[in-house]
Amino acid sequence: MTTSHLTHITEPPGVAPATGYTQVVTGTGRLVQVSGQVAFDEQGNLVGVDDPKAQARQVFENLRRCLAAAGAGFEHVVKFTFFMTDIAYLPAIREARDEYLGSLPLPAASAMQVVALFRPEVLIEIEALAVVPE
């Protein structure tokens, strides 16, 4: 599927179909790398203590704001990397992602459970890679 400057290859020949992400995304333009975002609000307070759904929503809001600061949006994201302290949080992350991306083609993604993030109450961290057309 081609969306302006990006091409999403969901099923490359010889690779098992993916669920919840695209296998390959390629494109041309300006690269935007967003550092891992966590669920801090504008004042630096953690949103959603012990609540992965609330944390995931705040993380995606922070990603939206970071992308906007670079002249980008979720339509430009080619890859997400999800870090979580429990893989059981993945459905909450995908739900928040779907709220923010709507019907946009899904980017490539990696998801991993980690022993800990930089503070014990932080459950989720997500980074994004985007390509914005020139």
Coordinates of all heavy atoms in Angstrom, one line a residue, residues 47-111:
V47 N 1.2 10.2 34.7 CA -0.3 9.9 34.5 C -0.5 8.4 34.5 O 0.2 7.7 33.9 CB -0.7 10.5 33.1 CG1 -2.1 10.1 32.7 CG2 -0.6 12.0 33.0
G48 N -1.5 8.0 35.3 CA -1.9 6.6 35.3 C -1.0 5.7 36.1 O -0.6 4.6 35.6
V49 N -0.7 6.0 37.3 CA 0.1 5.1 38.2 C -0.6 3.8 38.3 O -1.9 3.7 38.5 CB 0.3 5.7 39.6 CG1 0.9 4.7 40.5 CG2 1.0 7.0 39.5
D50 N 0.1 2.7 38.0 CA -0.5 1.3 37.9 C -1.6 1.1 36.9 O -2.4 0.2 37.0 CB -1.0 0.9 39.3 CG 0.1 0.9 40.4 OD1 1.2 0.5 40.0 OD2 -0.2 1.2 41.5
D51 N -1.7 2.0 35.9 CA -2.7 1.9 34.9 C -2.1 1.9 33.5 O -1.9 3.0 32.9 CB -3.7 3.1 35.1 CG -4.9 3.0 34.1 OD1 -4.9 2.2 33.2 OD2 -5.9 3.8 34.4
P52 N -1.9 0.8 32.9 CA -1.2 0.8 31.6 C -2.0 1.4 30.5 O -1.4 2.1 29.6 CB -1.0 -0.7 31.3 CG -1.9 -1.5 32.2 CD -2.1 -0.6 33.4
K53 N -3.3 1.4 30.6 CA -4.2 2.1 29.5 C -4.0 3.6 29.6 O -3.8 4.2 28.6 CB -5.6 1.7 29.7 CG -6.0 0.3 29.2 CD -7.5 0.1 29.3 CE -7.8 -1.3 28.8 NZ -9.2 -1.6 28.7
A54 N -4.0 4.1 30.8 CA -3.8 5.6 31.0 C -2.4 6.0 30.6 O -2.2 7.0 29.9 CB -4.2 6.0 32.4
Q55 N -1.5 5.2 30.9 CA -0.1 5.5 30.6 C 0.1 5.5 29.1 O 0.7 6.3 28.5 CB 0.9 4.6 31.3 CG 1.1 4.9 32.7 CD 2.3 4.3 33.4 OE1 3.3 4.0 32.7 NE2 2.3 4.2 34.7
A56 N -0.5 4.4 28.4 CA -0.3 4.3 27.0 C -0.9 5.5 26.3 O -0.4 6.1 25.3 CB -1.0 3.0 26.5
R57 N -2.1 6.0 26.7 CA -2.8 7.1 26.1 C -1.9 8.4 26.2 O -1.7 9.2 25.3 CB -4.1 7.4 26.7 CG -5.2 6.5 26.2 CD -6.6 6.9 26.6 NE -7.5 5.8 26.5 CZ -7.8 5.0 27.5 NH1 -7.4 5.2 28.7 NH2 -8.7 4.0 27.3
Q58 N -1.3 8.6 27.4 CA -0.5 9.8 27.6 C 0.8 9.7 26.8 O 1.3 10.7 26.3 CB -0.1 9.9 29.1 CG 0.7 11.1 29.4 CD 0.0 12.4 29.1 OE1 -1.2 12.6 29.5 NE2 0.6 13.4 28.5
V59 N 1.4 8.5 26.7 CA 2.6 8.3 25.9 C 2.2 8.7 24.4 O 3.0 9.4 23.8 CB 3.1 6.9 25.9 CG1 4.2 6.6 24.9 CG2 3.7 6.6 27.3
F60 N 1.1 8.2 23.9 CA 0.8 8.6 22.5 C 0.5 10.1 22.3 O 0.8 10.6 21.3 CB -0.3 7.7 22.0 CG 0.2 6.4 21.4 CD1 0.2 5.3 22.1 CD2 0.7 6.4 20.1 CE1 0.8 4.1 21.6 CE2 1.2 5.2 19.6 CZ 1.3 4.1 20.3
E61 N -0.1 10.7 23.4 CA -0.3 12.1 23.3 C 1.1 12.8 23.3 O 1.3 13.8 22.5 CB -1.1 12.6 24.5 CG -1.3 14.1 24.5 CD -2.0 14.7 23.3 OE1 -2.7 14.0 22.5 OE2 -1.8 15.9 23.1
N62 N 2.0 12.4 24.1 CA 3.4 13.0 24.1 C 4.1 12.7 22.7 O 4.7 13.6 22.2 CB 4.2 12.4 25.2 CG 3.7 12.8 26.6 OD1 2.9 13.7 26.7 ND2 4.2 12.2 27.6
L63 N 3.9 11.6 22.1 CA 4.4 11.3 20.8 C 3.8 12.2 19.8 O 4.5 12.8 18.9 CB 4.2 9.8 20.4 CG 5.0 8.8 21.1 CD1 4.4 7.4 20.8 CD2 6.5 8.9 20.7
R64 N 2.5 12.4 19.9 CA 1.8 13.4 18.9 C 2.4 14.8 19.0 O 2.7 15.4 18.0 CB 0.3 13.4 19.2 CG -0.5 14.3 18.2 CD -1.9 14.6 18.7 NE -1.9 15.5 19.9 CZ -1.6 16.8 19.9 NH1 -1.3 17.4 18.8 NH2 -1.6 17.5 21.0
R65 N 2.6 15.2 20.2 CA 3.2 16.6 20.4 C 4.6 16.7 19.9 O 5.0 17.7 19.3 CB 3.1 16.9 21.9 CG 1.7 17.2 22.4 CD 1.6 17.4 23.9 NE 0.2 17.6 24.3 CZ -0.1 17.8 25.5 NH1 0.8 17.8 26.5 NH2 -1.4 18.0 25.8
C66 N 5.4 15.6 20.2 CA 6.8 15.6 19.7 C 6.9 15.6 18.2 O 7.6 16.4 17.6 CB 7.6 14.4 20.2 SG 7.9 14.5 22.0
L67 N 6.1 14.8 17.6 CA 6.0 14.7 16.1 C 5.6 16.1 15.5 O 6.2 16.6 14.6 CB 5.0 13.6 15.6 CG 5.5 12.2 15.8 CD1 4.3 11.2 15.7 CD2 6.6 11.8 14.9
A68 N 4.6 16.7 16.1 CA 4.1 18.0 15.7 C 5.2 19.1 15.7 O 5.3 19.9 14.9 CB 2.9 18.4 16.5
A69 N 6.0 19.0 16.8 CA 7.1 20.0 16.9 C 8.1 19.9 15.8 O 8.8 20.8 15.5 CB 7.8 19.7 18.3
A70 N 8.2 18.7 15.2 CA 9.1 18.5 14.1 C 8.4 18.6 12.7 O 8.9 18.2 11.7 CB 9.7 17.1 14.2
G71 N 7.1 19.0 12.7 CA 6.4 19.2 11.5 C 5.9 17.8 10.9 O 5.7 17.7 9.7
A72 N 5.7 16.9 11.8 CA 5.3 15.5 11.4 C 4.0 15.1 12.2 O 3.5 15.8 13.1 CB 6.4 14.5 11.8
G73 N 3.4 14.0 11.8 CA 2.2 13.5 12.4 C 2.3 11.9 12.4 O 3.3 11.4 11.8
F74 N 1.3 11.3 12.9 CA 1.3 9.8 12.9 C 1.3 9.2 11.5 O 1.8 8.1 11.3 CB 0.2 9.3 13.8 CG 0.4 9.4 15.2 CD1 -0.4 10.3 16.0 CD2 1.4 8.8 15.9 CE1 -0.2 10.4 17.3 CE2 1.7 8.9 17.2 CZ 0.9 9.8 18.0
E75 N 0.8 10.0 10.5 CA 0.8 9.5 9.2 C 2.2 9.4 8.6 O 2.4 8.7 7.6 CB 0.0 10.4 8.3 CG 0.5 11.8 8.0 CD 0.2 12.8 9.1 OE1 -0.2 12.5 10.2 OE2 0.3 14.0 8.8
H76 N 3.2 10.0 9.3 CA 4.6 9.9 8.8 C 5.4 8.8 9.5 O 6.6 8.6 9.2 CB 5.3 11.3 9.0 CG 4.5 12.4 8.3 ND1 4.0 13.4 8.9 CD2 4.3 12.6 7.0 CE1 3.4 14.2 8.0 NE2 3.6 13.7 6.8
V77 N 4.9 8.2 10.6 CA 5.6 7.3 11.4 C 5.8 6.0 10.6 O 4.9 5.4 10.0 CB 4.9 6.9 12.7 CG1 5.6 5.8 13.4 CG2 4.8 8.2 13.6
V78 N 7.1 5.6 10.5 CA 7.4 4.3 9.8 C 7.7 3.2 10.8 O 7.7 2.0 10.4 CB 8.6 4.5 8.8 CG1 8.2 5.5 7.7 CG2 9.8 5.0 9.5
K79 N 8.0 3.5 12.1 CA 8.3 2.5 13.0 C 8.1 3.0 14.5 O 8.5 4.1 14.8 CB 9.8 2.0 12.9 CG 10.1 0.9 13.9 CD 11.2 0.0 13.5 CE 11.3 -1.3 14.3 NZ 11.8 -1.1 15.6
F80 N 7.5 2.1 15.3 CA 7.4 2.3 16.7 C 8.3 1.2 17.4 O 8.3 0.1 16.9 CB 6.0 2.1 17.2 CG 5.0 3.2 16.9 CD1 3.8 3.0 16.2 CD2 5.2 4.5 17.3 CE1 2.9 4.0 15.9 CE2 4.3 5.5 17.1 CZ 3.2 5.3 16.4
T81 N 8.9 1.6 18.5 CA 9.5 0.6 19.4 C 8.8 0.7 20.7 O 8.8 1.8 21.3 CB 11.0 0.8 19.5 OG1 11.6 0.8 18.2 CG2 11.7 -0.3 20.3
F82 N 8.2 -0.4 21.1 CA 7.5 -0.4 22.4 C 8.3 -1.1 23.5 O 8.7 -2.3 23.2 CB 6.1 -1.2 22.3 CG 5.2 -0.8 21.2 CD1 4.7 -1.7 20.3 CD2 4.9 0.6 21.0 CE1 3.8 -1.3 19.3 CE2 4.0 1.0 20.0 CZ 3.5 0.1 19.2
F83 N 8.5 -0.5 24.6 CA 9.2 -1.1 25.7 C 8.1 -1.1 26.9 O 7.5 -0.1 27.1 CB 10.3 -0.3 26.2 CG 11.4 0.0 25.1 CD1 11.3 1.1 24.4 CD2 12.4 -0.9 24.9 CE1 12.3 1.4 23.4 CE2 13.3 -0.7 23.9 CZ 13.3 0.4 23.2
M84 N 8.0 -2.3 27.5 CA 7.0 -2.4 28.6 C 7.5 -3.3 29.7 O 8.3 -4.2 29.4 CB 5.7 -2.8 28.1 CG 5.7 -4.2 27.5 SD 4.5 -4.5 26.2 CE 5.4 -3.9 24.8
T85 N 7.1 -3.1 30.9 CA 7.6 -3.9 32.0 C 6.9 -5.2 32.1 O 7.3 -6.1 32.9 CB 7.6 -3.1 33.3 OG1 6.2 -2.7 33.6 CG2 8.5 -1.9 33.3
D86 N 5.8 -5.3 31.4 CA 5.0 -6.6 31.3 C 4.4 -6.7 29.9 O 3.7 -5.7 29.5 CB 3.9 -6.5 32.4 CG 3.2 -7.9 32.5 OD1 3.1 -8.6 31.5 OD2 2.6 -8.1 33.6
I87 N 4.6 -7.7 29.2 CA 4.1 -7.9 27.9 C 2.6 -7.9 27.8 O 2.0 -7.6 26.8 CB 4.7 -9.2 27.2 CG1 4.6 -9.1 25.7 CG2 4.1 -10.4 27.7 CD1 5.5 -8.1 25.0
A88 N 2.0 -8.1 29.0 CA 0.5 -8.1 29.1 C 0.0 -6.7 28.8 O -1.2 -6.5 28.6 CB 0.0 -8.6 30.4
Y89 N 0.8 -5.6 28.8 CA 0.4 -4.3 28.5 C 0.3 -4.0 27.0 O -0.2 -3.0 26.6 CB 1.4 -3.2 29.1 CG 1.6 -3.3 30.6 CD1 2.8 -2.9 31.2 CD2 0.6 -3.9 31.4 CE1 3.0 -3.0 32.5 CE2 0.8 -3.9 32.8 CZ 2.0 -3.5 33.3 OH 2.2 -3.6 34.7
L90 N 0.7 -4.9 26.2 CA 0.7 -4.7 24.7 C -0.7 -4.4 24.2 O -0.9 -3.5 23.4 CB 1.3 -5.9 24.0 CG 1.5 -5.7 22.5 CD1 2.3 -4.5 22.2 CD2 2.2 -7.0 21.9
P91 N -1.8 -5.1 24.6 CA -3.1 -4.7 24.2 C -3.5 -3.3 24.5 O -4.1 -2.6 23.7 CB -4.1 -5.7 24.9 CG -3.2 -6.9 25.1 CD -1.8 -6.4 25.4
A92 N -3.1 -2.8 25.7 CA -3.4 -1.4 26.0 C -2.7 -0.4 25.1 O -3.2 0.6 24.7 CB -3.0 -1.2 27.5
I93 N -1.4 -0.8 24.8 CA -0.6 0.0 23.9 C -1.3 0.0 22.5 O -1.4 1.1 21.9 CB 0.8 -0.5 23.8 CG1 1.5 -0.3 25.1 CG2 1.6 0.1 22.6 CD1 2.9 -1.0 25.3
R94 N -1.7 -1.1 22.0 CA -2.3 -1.2 20.7 C -3.6 -0.4 20.6 O -3.9 0.2 19.7 CB -2.5 -2.6 20.2 CG -1.2 -3.3 19.8 CD -1.4 -4.7 19.4 NE -0.2 -5.2 18.8 CZ 0.0 -6.5 18.5 NH1 -1.0 -7.4 18.7 NH2 1.1 -6.9 17.9
E95 N -4.4 -0.5 21.7 CA -5.6 0.3 21.8 C -5.4 1.8 21.7 O -6.1 2.5 20.9 CB -6.4 -0.1 23.1 CG -7.7 0.6 23.3 CD -8.4 0.2 24.6 OE1 -8.3 -1.0 25.0 OE2 -8.9 1.1 25.2
A96 N -4.4 2.3 22.5 CA -4.1 3.7 22.4 C -3.5 4.1 21.0 O -3.9 5.1 20.5 CB -3.1 4.0 23.5
R97 N -2.7 3.2 20.5 CA -2.2 3.4 19.1 C -3.3 3.6 18.1 O -3.3 4.5 17.3 CB -1.2 2.3 18.7 CG -0.7 2.5 17.3 CD -0.3 1.1 16.7 NE -1.4 0.2 16.6 CZ -1.3 -1.1 16.4 NH1 -0.1 -1.7 16.3 NH2 -2.4 -1.8 16.3
D98 N -4.2 2.7 18.2 CA -5.4 2.7 17.2 C -6.2 3.9 17.4 O -6.7 4.5 16.4 CB -6.2 1.4 17.4 CG -5.4 0.2 16.9 OD1 -4.3 0.3 16.3 OD2 -5.9 -0.9 17.2
E99 N -6.4 4.4 18.7 CA -7.1 5.7 18.9 C -6.4 6.8 18.2 O -7.1 7.7 17.6 CB -7.2 6.0 20.4 CG -8.1 5.1 21.2 CD -8.1 5.4 22.7 OE1 -7.6 6.4 23.1 OE2 -8.5 4.5 23.4
Y100 N -5.1 6.9 18.2 CA -4.3 8.0 17.7 C -4.1 7.8 16.2 O -4.1 8.8 15.4 CB -3.0 8.2 18.4 CG -3.2 9.0 19.6 CD1 -3.6 8.4 20.8 CD2 -3.0 10.4 19.6 CE1 -3.8 9.2 22.0 CE2 -3.2 11.2 20.8 CZ -3.6 10.6 21.9 OH -3.8 11.3 23.0
L101 N -4.0 6.6 15.7 CA -3.7 6.4 14.2 C -5.0 6.3 13.4 O -5.0 6.5 12.2 CB -2.8 5.2 14.0 CG -1.3 5.5 14.0 CD1 -0.8 5.9 15.4 CD2 -0.5 4.3 13.5
G102 N -6.0 5.9 14.1 CA -7.3 5.7 13.3 C -7.1 4.7 12.2 O -6.7 3.6 12.4
S103 N -7.5 5.1 11.0 CA -7.4 4.2 9.9 C -6.1 4.3 9.1 O -6.0 3.7 8.0 CB -8.6 4.4 8.9 OG -8.5 5.8 8.4
L104 N -5.1 5.0 9.6 CA -3.8 5.1 8.9 C -3.2 3.7 8.8 O -3.4 2.8 9.7 CB -2.9 6.0 9.7 CG -3.2 7.4 9.8 CD1 -2.3 8.2 10.7 CD2 -3.0 8.1 8.4
P105 N -2.4 3.5 7.8 CA -1.7 2.2 7.7 C -0.8 2.0 8.9 O -0.2 3.0 9.4 CB -0.8 2.3 6.4 CG -1.5 3.4 5.6 CD -2.1 4.3 6.6
L106 N -0.7 0.8 9.4 CA 0.2 0.6 10.6 C 1.6 0.6 10.2 O 2.0 0.1 9.2 CB -0.2 -0.8 11.2 CG -1.5 -0.9 11.9 CD1 -1.8 -2.3 12.4 CD2 -1.7 0.1 13.0
P107 N 2.4 1.3 11.1 CA 3.9 1.3 10.8 C 4.5 -0.1 11.2 O 3.9 -0.9 11.8 CB 4.4 2.4 11.7 CG 3.4 2.6 12.7 CD 2.1 2.1 12.2
A108 N 5.8 -0.2 10.9 CA 6.6 -1.3 11.4 C 6.6 -1.2 12.9 O 6.5 0.0 13.4 CB 8.0 -1.4 10.8
A109 N 6.9 -2.2 13.7 CA 7.0 -2.1 15.1 C 7.8 -3.3 15.7 O 7.9 -4.3 15.1 CB 5.6 -2.2 15.7
S110 N 8.4 -2.9 16.8 CA 9.0 -3.9 17.7 C 8.5 -3.8 19.1 O 8.2 -2.6 19.5 CB 10.6 -3.7 17.7 OG 11.1 -3.9 16.5
A111 N 8.2 -4.9 19.8 CA 7.7 -4.8 21.1 C 8.6 -5.7 22.0 O 8.9 -6.8 21.7 CB 6.3 -5.3 21.2

